[in-house]
Amino acid sequence: MSEERSGDSTQRPPVDKEAKEAKKAGVFTRLVNRYNIDVDPSLVKHVSILAGSQIMLNLGISQMIPVMPMFAAKMGGHLGATGIGLILSAPSAATLLLNFPLGRLADTVGRKPLMWCGTALTAIGTTTTGFVTSLESLLACRLLVGAGAASSMTGSGAYMADLSDRAPAHRAKIMGIHQAMVGSVWVIGPAVGGWLAETYGYRNSFVIAGVCAALCSAGYTQLPETLKQPKVTQHSQQDGGFKEWRQNVGRLLSSPDQQGLIALACEHPIRYSCFTTAVALHASNVAGAGPKELGMMFTALALSQGVGMPFGSWLADRIKGPKKSVVVPAGLISTFSFASLAFATSQVHLLAAMGVMGFCAGFKHPAVGAVTAEVTTPSERGQAMSLQRQAGSMLSLIGPISMGVISDLTNSPTAILTGATLMGICNLAYLILVPNKTSFLNSTNDSSADNVKDAKKNSK
């Protein structure tokens, strides 16, 4: 009897493999359950790994953001605001050259290689930035950072869209939760980074960012590939697929949906270019803002963005088509809030304006991500997103320099109002270019079913 009881005590009830995987997923699983999203457990696992990796990357970037304008002023300040803009825009020169070929690679070689290789390059470039002693070497390091960012962003953007195909009914919610998790580090990162920079020096911030990027690269290696390898013909092997790439790009550029998304993609680089030059200078002049104060402004932006994202995600999944009623009003309110920075005379005004912008960005981002995924076939997502990034890279290249020149020739408030005007044009272009009844290019139901099958094979 004792042996029988002993044998019974060693027997363990069978463990549900899917429940075990969901439990391991952690925070993302709890958020999915909270919002009653019925998805495949393997999807939860993969989004969790993706988000966890990107949290590390954004933790490093966020703590470095308030340091970069001051570090650029120290290294290139003898050239005035134009010199600061030159340093800040250097990564965009690399992305401008690499966006198209990397977009093609993402749709042929795969998403995963671009993701982990890109963040590895970012880690090297960011770390070495902290040890440079001349403007020339600084620009070289910044170019390396730009090459890495172009690679990782191209791969990860297409990867997230692929994952959302496995639950198209909850696409915006999944993207919203993912962005909320990744963006959560911006609540504390800039403020902590500003304090660390003022206490221990600017250069340590770049070492921290490099380590975080390396950890992100390691996390990406744990993800399965989501791209279904296309059939390669002998002709495409001979010409390197250039003719096919040209046809794909031509088709994408002729789509009103893609034209509107490209216009909308220009909004962020305009805002960032203006913030890192004109806004930073204006805040320093009127409120005595240093790295710590600039960090608090980004913290206000991130905190309010996390508040707005659940509302935008919930609404975006209930609106069909281009979701203009979510995207355009939020974009225009954000534009007016950004314009108000030109008239700010205190830190309170600066923080309030950043808070409104953050809420609007969080509110509309899931809708924009969902539309991007729905109007682009999986086999062309890398190339479609490279078009958006190409437009953004061009503005990121000339934006900081242009805003610096405007600030030098006139003043910082004029540059801020110029940036706000351009941001408003981007949102109006989306309103005008994208049809109200957009014709989606891919069948999300078919693609999602195929992706679920592939995901189950990968999880096994």
Side-chain angles (χ1 to χ4, degrees), residues 282 335-345 349-350 352-353 416-417 420:
H282 182 63
T335 297
F336 285 115
S337 179
F338 187 82
S340 74
L341 290 173
F343 308 100
T345 56
H349 187 160
L350 295 170
I416 294 173
L417 292 175

Side-chain angles (χ1 to χ4, degrees), residues 255-266 388 426-427 429-434:
S255 166
D257 299 316
Q258 298 294 338
Q259 293 171 5
L261 289 169
I262 291 172
L264 207 59
C266 296
Q388 298 177 26
C426 293
N427 286 279
Y430 182 83
L431 176 66
I432 296 171
L433 291 173
V434 178

Side-chain angles (χ1 to χ4, degrees), residues 93-106:
T95 58
L96 190 65
L97 296 174
L98 296 175
N99 278 327
F100 282 152
L102 288 173
R104 178 64 178 168
L105 285 175

